[in-house]
Coordinates of all heavy atoms in Angstrom, one line a residue:
M1 N -220.4 34.3 -82.1 CA -220.2 34.9 -80.8 C -220.8 34.0 -79.7 O -222.0 33.7 -79.8 CB -220.8 36.3 -80.8 CG -220.6 37.1 -79.5 SD -221.2 38.7 -79.7 CE -220.1 39.6 -78.7
S2 N -220.1 33.7 -78.7 CA -220.6 32.8 -77.6 C -221.4 33.7 -76.6 O -221.1 34.8 -76.4 CB -219.5 32.0 -77.0 OG -218.6 32.9 -76.3
K3 N -222.3 33.0 -75.9 CA -223.1 33.7 -74.9 C -222.2 33.8 -73.6 O -221.4 32.9 -73.3 CB -224.3 32.9 -74.5 CG -225.4 33.0 -75.5 CD -226.7 32.4 -74.9 CE -227.8 32.7 -75.8 NZ -229.1 32.2 -75.3
Q4 N -222.4 34.9 -72.9 CA -221.7 35.1 -71.7 C -222.3 34.3 -70.6 O -223.6 34.2 -70.6 CB -221.7 36.6 -71.4 CG -220.7 37.0 -70.3 CD -220.6 38.5 -70.2 OE1 -221.5 39.2 -70.7 NE2 -219.6 39.0 -69.6
S5 N -221.5 33.8 -69.7 CA -222.1 33.0 -68.6 C -222.9 33.9 -67.6 O -222.7 35.1 -67.5 CB -220.9 32.4 -67.8 OG -220.1 33.4 -67.3
R6 N -223.9 33.3 -67.0 CA -224.8 34.0 -66.1 C -224.3 33.7 -64.7 O -224.1 32.5 -64.4 CB -226.2 33.5 -66.3 CG -226.7 33.8 -67.7 CD -228.0 33.2 -68.0 NE -229.0 33.6 -67.0 CZ -230.2 34.0 -67.3 NH1 -230.7 34.0 -68.5 NH2 -231.1 34.3 -66.3
L7 N -224.2 34.7 -63.9 CA -223.7 34.5 -62.5 C -224.7 35.2 -61.6 O -225.4 36.1 -61.9 CB -222.4 35.3 -62.4 CG -221.2 34.8 -63.1 CD1 -220.0 35.7 -62.9 CD2 -220.8 33.4 -62.7
T8 N -224.8 34.6 -60.4 CA -225.5 35.2 -59.3 C -224.5 36.1 -58.5 O -223.3 36.0 -58.8 CB -226.1 34.2 -58.3 OG1 -225.0 33.4 -57.7 CG2 -227.1 33.3 -59.0
A9 N -225.0 36.9 -57.6 CA -224.1 37.8 -56.9 C -223.1 37.0 -56.0 O -221.9 37.4 -55.9 CB -224.9 38.7 -56.0
K10 N -223.5 35.9 -55.4 CA -222.6 35.1 -54.6 C -221.5 34.5 -55.4 O -220.4 34.4 -55.0 CB -223.4 34.0 -53.9 CG -224.2 34.5 -52.8 CD -224.9 33.4 -52.0 CE -225.7 34.0 -50.8 NZ -226.2 32.9 -49.9
E11 N -221.8 34.0 -56.7 CA -220.8 33.4 -57.5 C -219.8 34.5 -58.0 O -218.6 34.3 -58.0 CB -221.5 32.8 -58.8 CG -222.3 31.6 -58.5 CD -223.2 31.1 -59.6 OE1 -223.4 31.9 -60.5 OE2 -223.6 30.0 -59.6
G12 N -220.3 35.7 -58.3 CA -219.4 36.8 -58.6 C -218.5 37.2 -57.5 O -217.3 37.5 -57.7
E13 N -219.1 37.2 -56.3 CA -218.3 37.5 -55.1 C -217.2 36.5 -54.9 O -216.1 36.9 -54.6 CB -219.2 37.6 -53.9 CG -218.5 37.9 -52.6 CD -219.4 37.8 -51.4 OE1 -220.3 36.9 -51.3 OE2 -219.2 38.7 -50.5
S14 N -217.5 35.2 -55.0 CA -216.5 34.2 -54.8 C -215.4 34.3 -55.9 O -214.2 34.1 -55.5 CB -217.1 32.8 -54.8 OG -217.6 32.5 -56.1
L15 N -215.7 34.7 -57.1 CA -214.7 34.9 -58.1 C -213.7 36.0 -57.7 O -212.5 35.9 -57.9 CB -215.3 35.2 -59.5 CG -216.0 34.0 -60.2 CD1 -216.7 34.5 -61.5 CD2 -214.9 33.0 -60.6
L16 N -214.3 37.1 -57.3 CA -213.5 38.3 -56.9 C -212.6 38.0 -55.7 O -211.5 38.3 -55.6 CB -214.4 39.5 -56.6 CG -215.1 40.2 -57.7 CD1 -216.0 41.2 -57.3 CD2 -214.0 40.7 -58.7
L17 N -213.2 37.3 -54.7 CA -212.4 37.0 -53.5 C -211.3 36.0 -53.8 O -210.2 36.2 -53.2 CB -213.3 36.4 -52.4 CG -214.4 37.4 -51.8 CD1 -215.3 36.7 -50.8 CD2 -213.7 38.6 -51.2
T18 N -211.5 35.1 -54.7 CA -210.4 34.2 -55.0 C -209.3 34.9 -55.8 O -208.1 34.4 -55.9 CB -210.9 32.9 -55.8 OG1 -211.6 33.3 -56.9 CG2 -211.7 32.1 -54.9
A19 N -209.7 36.0 -56.5 CA -208.7 36.7 -57.3 C -208.0 37.8 -56.5 O -207.1 38.5 -57.0 CB -209.4 37.4 -58.5
G20 N -208.3 37.8 -55.2 CA -207.6 38.7 -54.3 C -208.2 40.0 -54.0 O -207.7 40.9 -53.3
F21 N -209.5 40.2 -54.4 CA -210.2 41.4 -54.1 C -210.7 41.3 -52.6 O -210.9 40.2 -52.1 CB -211.4 41.6 -55.0 CG -211.1 42.1 -56.3 CD1 -210.6 41.3 -57.3 CD2 -211.2 43.5 -56.6 CE1 -210.3 41.8 -58.6 CE2 -210.9 44.0 -57.9 CZ -210.4 43.1 -58.9
Q22 N -210.9 42.5 -52.0 CA -211.3 42.5 -50.6 C -212.6 43.4 -50.5 O -212.7 44.4 -51.2 CB -210.3 43.1 -49.7 CG -209.1 42.2 -49.5 CD -208.1 42.8 -48.6 OE1 -208.1 44.0 -48.2 NE2 -207.1 42.0 -48.2
L23 N -213.5 43.0 -49.6 CA -214.7 43.8 -49.4 C -214.3 45.1 -48.8 O -213.8 45.1 -47.7 CB -215.7 43.0 -48.6 CG -217.0 43.7 -48.3 CD1 -217.8 43.9 -49.5 CD2 -217.8 42.9 -47.3
L24 N -214.6 46.2 -49.5 CA -214.2 47.5 -49.0 C -215.3 48.0 -48.1 O -215.1 48.4 -46.9 CB -214.0 48.4 -50.1 CG -213.5 49.8 -49.8 CD1 -212.1 49.8 -49.1 CD2 -213.4 50.6 -51.1
R25 N -216.6 48.0 -48.6 CA -217.7 48.5 -47.8 C -219.0 48.0 -48.4 O -219.0 47.5 -49.5 CB -217.7 50.0 -47.7 CG -217.9 50.7 -49.0 CD -217.9 52.2 -48.7 NE -218.3 52.9 -49.9 CZ -217.4 53.3 -50.9 NH1 -216.1 53.0 -50.8 NH2 -217.8 53.9 -52.0
T26 N -220.1 48.2 -47.7 CA -221.4 47.8 -48.1 C -222.3 49.1 -48.0 O -222.2 49.8 -47.0 CB -222.0 46.7 -47.3 OG1 -221.1 45.6 -47.4 CG2 -223.4 46.3 -47.8
R27 N -223.1 49.3 -49.1 CA -224.0 50.4 -49.0 C -225.3 49.9 -49.5 O -225.5 49.7 -50.7 CB -223.5 51.6 -49.9 CG -224.4 52.8 -49.8 CD -223.8 54.0 -50.4 NE -224.7 55.1 -50.2 CZ -224.4 56.4 -50.2 NH1 -223.1 56.7 -50.4 NH2 -225.2 57.3 -50.0
G28 N -226.2 49.7 -48.7 CA -227.5 49.2 -49.0 C -227.4 47.8 -49.5 O -226.8 46.9 -48.8
S29 N -227.8 47.5 -50.7 CA -227.7 46.1 -51.2 C -226.5 46.0 -52.2 O -226.5 45.0 -52.9 CB -229.0 45.8 -51.9 OG -229.2 46.6 -53.0
H30 N -225.6 46.9 -52.2 CA -224.5 46.9 -53.1 C -223.2 46.7 -52.2 O -223.0 47.3 -51.2 CB -224.3 48.2 -53.9 CG -225.4 48.3 -54.9 ND1 -226.7 48.7 -54.5 CD2 -225.4 48.2 -56.2 CE1 -227.5 48.7 -55.6 NE2 -226.7 48.4 -56.7
R31 N -222.3 45.8 -52.7 CA -221.1 45.6 -52.1 C -219.9 46.1 -53.0 O -219.9 45.8 -54.2 CB -220.9 44.1 -51.7 CG -221.9 43.6 -50.7 CD -221.7 42.2 -50.4 NE -222.7 41.7 -49.5 CZ -222.9 40.5 -49.1 NH1 -222.0 39.6 -49.5 NH2 -223.9 40.1 -48.3
I32 N -219.0 46.8 -52.4 CA -217.9 47.3 -53.1 C -216.6 46.6 -52.8 O -216.3 46.5 -51.6 CB -217.7 48.9 -52.8 CG1 -219.0 49.6 -53.3 CG2 -216.5 49.4 -53.6 CD1 -219.9 49.9 -52.2
Y33 N -215.9 46.1 -53.8 CA -214.7 45.3 -53.6 C -213.6 46.1 -54.3 O -213.7 46.8 -55.3 CB -214.8 43.9 -54.3 CG -215.9 43.1 -53.7 CD1 -217.2 43.1 -54.2 CD2 -215.6 42.2 -52.6 CE1 -218.2 42.4 -53.6 CE2 -216.6 41.5 -52.0 CZ -217.9 41.5 -52.5 OH -218.9 40.8 -52.0
E34 N -212.4 45.9 -53.7 CA -211.2 46.6 -54.2 C -210.0 45.8 -54.1 O -209.8 45.0 -53.2 CB -211.0 47.9 -53.3 CG -209.8 48.7 -53.8 CD -209.6 49.9 -52.9 OE1 -209.8 49.8 -51.6 OE2 -209.3 51.0 -53.4
R35 N -209.1 46.0 -55.2 CA -207.8 45.4 -55.2 C -206.9 46.4 -56.0 O -207.2 46.7 -57.1 CB -207.8 44.0 -55.9 CG -206.4 43.4 -55.9 CD -206.5 42.0 -56.4 NE -205.6 41.9 -57.5 CZ -205.4 40.7 -58.1 NH1 -206.0 39.6 -57.7 NH2 -204.6 40.7 -59.2
D36 N -205.9 46.8 -55.3 CA -205.0 47.9 -55.8 C -205.9 49.1 -56.1 O -206.5 49.6 -55.2 CB -204.3 47.4 -57.1 CG -203.4 46.2 -56.8 OD1 -202.9 46.1 -55.7 OD2 -203.2 45.3 -57.7
D37 N -205.9 49.6 -57.3 CA -206.8 50.7 -57.6 C -208.1 50.4 -58.3 O -208.8 51.3 -58.8 CB -206.0 51.7 -58.5 CG -204.8 52.3 -57.8 OD1 -204.9 52.4 -56.5 OD2 -203.8 52.7 -58.4
K38 N -208.4 49.1 -58.5 CA -209.6 48.7 -59.2 C -210.7 48.4 -58.2 O -210.5 47.7 -57.2 CB -209.2 47.4 -60.0 CG -210.3 46.9 -60.9 CD -210.4 47.9 -62.1 CE -211.4 47.3 -63.0 NZ -211.6 48.2 -64.1
K39 N -211.9 49.1 -58.4 CA -213.0 48.9 -57.6 C -214.1 48.3 -58.5 O -214.4 48.6 -59.6 CB -213.5 50.2 -57.0 CG -212.6 50.7 -56.0 CD -213.1 52.0 -55.4 CE -212.1 52.5 -54.4 NZ -212.6 53.8 -53.8
I40 N -214.9 47.3 -57.9 CA -216.0 46.6 -58.5 C -217.2 46.7 -57.6 O -217.0 46.4 -56.4 CB -215.7 45.2 -58.8 CG1 -214.4 45.0 -59.7 CG2 -216.9 44.5 -59.4 CD1 -214.7 45.6 -61.1
I41 N -218.3 47.0 -58.1 CA -219.6 47.1 -57.3 C -220.5 46.0 -57.8 O -220.8 45.9 -59.0 CB -220.3 48.5 -57.5 CG1 -219.3 49.6 -57.0 CG2 -221.6 48.5 -56.7 CD1 -219.8 51.0 -57.4
I42 N -221.0 45.2 -56.8 CA -221.9 44.1 -57.1 C -223.2 44.3 -56.4 O -223.2 44.5 -55.2 CB -221.3 42.7 -56.7 CG1 -220.0 42.4 -57.5 CG2 -222.3 41.6 -57.0 CD1 -219.4 41.1 -57.1
P43 N -224.3 44.4 -57.1 CA -225.6 44.5 -56.5 C -226.1 43.2 -56.0 O -226.1 42.2 -56.7 CB -226.5 45.0 -57.6 CG -225.9 44.6 -58.8 CD -224.4 44.5 -58.6
F44 N -226.4 43.1 -54.7 CA -226.9 41.8 -54.1 C -228.4 41.9 -53.9 O -228.9 42.5 -53.0 CB -226.2 41.6 -52.7 CG -224.9 40.8 -52.8 CD1 -223.8 41.4 -53.2 CD2 -224.9 39.5 -52.4 CE1 -222.6 40.7 -53.3 CE2 -223.8 38.8 -52.5 CZ -222.6 39.4 -52.9
H45 N -229.1 41.3 -54.8 CA -230.6 41.2 -54.7 C -230.9 39.7 -54.7 O -230.4 38.9 -55.6 CB -231.2 41.9 -55.9 CG -230.9 43.3 -56.0 ND1 -231.4 44.3 -55.1 CD2 -230.0 44.0 -56.8 CE1 -230.9 45.5 -55.4 NE2 -230.0 45.3 -56.4
S46 N -231.7 39.3 -53.8 CA -231.9 37.8 -53.6 C -232.5 37.2 -54.8 O -233.5 37.6 -55.3 CB -232.8 37.6 -52.4 OG -234.1 38.2 -52.6
G47 N -231.9 36.1 -55.2 CA -232.4 35.3 -56.3 C -232.3 35.9 -57.7 O -232.9 35.4 -58.7
K48 N -231.6 37.0 -57.8 CA -231.5 37.6 -59.1 C -230.1 37.3 -59.8 O -229.1 37.0 -59.1 CB -231.5 39.2 -59.0 CG -232.8 39.7 -58.4 CD -233.8 39.9 -59.4 CE -235.1 40.4 -58.8 NZ -235.9 41.1 -59.7
I49 N -230.2 37.3 -61.1 CA -229.0 37.0 -61.9 C -228.3 38.4 -62.2 O -229.1 39.4 -62.5 CB -229.3 36.3 -63.2 CG1 -230.0 35.0 -63.0 CG2 -228.1 36.2 -64.1 CD1 -229.1 33.9 -62.3
L50 N -227.0 38.5 -62.2 CA -226.3 39.7 -62.4 C -226.5 40.1 -63.9 O -226.6 39.3 -64.8 CB -224.9 39.6 -62.1 CG -224.5 39.5 -60.7 CD1 -223.0 39.3 -60.5 CD2 -224.9 40.7 -59.9
H51 N -226.6 41.4 -64.1 CA -226.7 42.0 -65.5 C -225.4 41.6 -66.2 O -224.3 41.6 -65.7 CB -226.8 43.5 -65.4 CG -227.2 44.1 -66.7 ND1 -226.3 44.4 -67.7 CD2 -228.4 44.4 -67.2 CE1 -226.9 44.9 -68.7 NE2 -228.2 45.0 -68.5
P52 N -225.5 41.3 -67.5 CA -224.3 40.9 -68.3 C -223.2 41.9 -68.3 O -222.0 41.6 -68.3 CB -224.9 40.8 -69.7 CG -226.3 40.4 -69.6 CD -226.7 41.2 -68.3
K53 N -223.5 43.2 -68.1 CA -222.5 44.3 -68.1 C -221.7 44.1 -66.8 O -220.5 44.3 -66.7 CB -223.1 45.7 -68.2 CG -223.5 46.0 -69.6 CD -224.1 47.4 -69.7 CE -224.5 47.7 -71.1 NZ -225.1 49.1 -71.2
V54 N -222.4 43.8 -65.7 CA -221.7 43.6 -64.4 C -220.8 42.4 -64.4 O -219.7 42.4 -64.0 CB -222.7 43.5 -63.2 CG1 -222.0 43.2 -61.9 CG2 -223.6 44.7 -63.1
V55 N -221.3 41.3 -65.1 CA -220.5 40.1 -65.2 C -219.2 40.4 -66.0 O -218.1 39.9 -65.7 CB -221.3 38.9 -65.9 CG1 -220.5 37.7 -66.2 CG2 -222.5 38.6 -65.0
K56 N -219.4 41.2 -67.1 CA -218.3 41.5 -67.9 C -217.2 42.3 -67.1 O -216.0 42.1 -67.3 CB -218.7 42.3 -69.1 CG -217.7 42.6 -70.1 CD -218.3 43.3 -71.4 CE -217.2 43.6 -72.4 NZ -217.7 44.3 -73.6
Q57 N -217.7 43.3 -66.3 CA -216.8 44.1 -65.5 C -216.0 43.2 -64.5 O -214.8 43.4 -64.3 CB -217.5 45.1 -64.6 CG -218.1 46.2 -65.4 CD -218.9 47.2 -64.6 OE1 -219.3 46.8 -63.5 NE2 -219.1 48.4 -65.1
I58 N -216.7 42.2 -63.9 CA -216.0 41.2 -63.0 C -214.9 40.5 -63.8 O -213.8 40.4 -63.3 CB -217.0 40.3 -62.4 CG1 -217.9 41.1 -61.4 CG2 -216.3 39.2 -61.6 CD1 -219.1 40.3 -60.9
L59 N -215.3 39.9 -64.9 CA -214.3 39.1 -65.7 C -213.1 39.9 -66.2 O -212.0 39.5 -66.1 CB -215.0 38.4 -66.8 CG -216.1 37.4 -66.4 CD1 -216.8 36.9 -67.6 CD2 -215.5 36.3 -65.6
I60 N -213.4 41.1 -66.6 CA -212.3 42.0 -67.1 C -211.4 42.4 -65.9 O -210.1 42.4 -66.1 CB -212.8 43.3 -67.7 CG1 -213.4 42.9 -69.1 CG2 -211.8 44.3 -67.9 CD1 -214.2 44.0 -69.8
A61 N -211.9 42.7 -64.8 CA -211.1 43.0 -63.6 C -210.2 41.9 -63.2 O -209.1 42.1 -62.8 CB -212.0 43.5 -62.4
I62 N -210.8 40.7 -63.2 CA -210.0 39.5 -62.8 C -208.9 39.2 -63.8 O -207.8 39.0 -63.4 CB -210.9 38.3 -62.6 CG1 -211.8 38.5 -61.4 CG2 -210.1 37.0 -62.5 CD1 -212.9 37.5 -61.2
N63 N -209.2 39.3 -65.1 CA -208.2 39.0 -66.1 C -207.2 40.0 -66.3 O -206.0 39.6 -66.5 CB -208.9 38.8 -67.5 CG -209.7 37.5 -67.5 OD1 -209.4 36.5 -66.8 ND2 -210.8 37.5 -68.3
T64 N -207.5 41.3 -66.1 CA -206.4 42.3 -66.2 C -205.5 42.3 -65.0 O -204.3 42.6 -65.2 CB -207.0 43.7 -66.4 OG1 -207.9 44.0 -65.3 CG2 -207.8 43.8 -67.7
E65 N -205.9 41.9 -63.9 CA -205.1 41.8 -62.7 C -204.2 40.6 -62.7 O -203.1 40.6 -62.1 CB -205.9 41.8 -61.4 CG -206.8 43.0 -61.2 CD -206.0 44.3 -61.0 OE1 -204.9 44.2 -60.5 OE2 -206.4 45.4 -61.4
N66 N -204.5 39.6 -63.4 CA -203.7 38.4 -63.5 C -202.6 38.4 -64.6 O -201.9 37.5 -64.7 CB -204.6 37.1 -63.7 CG -205.4 36.9 -62.4 OD1 -205.0 37.2 -61.3 ND2 -206.5 36.2 -62.6
R67 N -202.6 39.4 -65.4 CA -201.6 39.4 -66.5 C -200.3 39.9 -66.0 O -200.0 40.4 -65.1 CB -202.1 40.4 -67.6 CG -203.3 39.8 -68.3 CD -203.6 40.8 -69.4 NE -204.8 40.2 -70.1 CZ -205.4 40.8 -71.1 NH1 -205.0 41.9 -71.5 NH2 -206.5 40.2 -71.6

């Protein structure tokens, strides 16, 4: 089993924006992105790496929308 890539919030955001997601709103340090009926929440904390579950949600959202 291969290790999952580590992403920062800015890298995750750029992946979502290039996949066609749009920033819906911001609440505190969390940004909510939406495309069609799929919503993704990314926590923006300075200098922190995203949790592997959040990275997995981002990758699944991008891959399912491109099929």
Side-chain angles (χ1 to χ4, degrees):
M1 181 177 211
S2 64
K3 283 191 173 183
Q4 194 171 17
S5 60
R6 298 172 57 133
L7 295 176
T8 62
K10 287 187 178 187
E11 293 169 340
E13 178 184 41
S14 68
L15 287 175
L16 287 175
L17 292 176
T18 56
F21 282 81
Q22 294 182 345
L23 180 63
L24 185 62
R25 66 180 186 272
T26 301
R27 183 170 183 156
S29 62
H30 292 73
R31 294 182 186 175
I32 297 98
Y33 298 90
E34 181 181 39
R35 182 170 123 176
D36 300 328
D37 291 334
K38 188 71 174 176
K39 290 184 183 177
I40 301 292
I41 300 170
I42 298 182
F44 269 77
H45 301 286
S46 62
K48 301 276 182 158
I49 301 293
L50 291 176
H51 191 277
K53 289 183 180 180
V54 176
V55 174
K56 185 175 180 179
Q57 288 177 343
I58 291 170
L59 296 176
I60 288 173
I62 291 171
N63 288 332
T64 57
E65 296 294 331
N66 289 335
R67 289 184 183 177

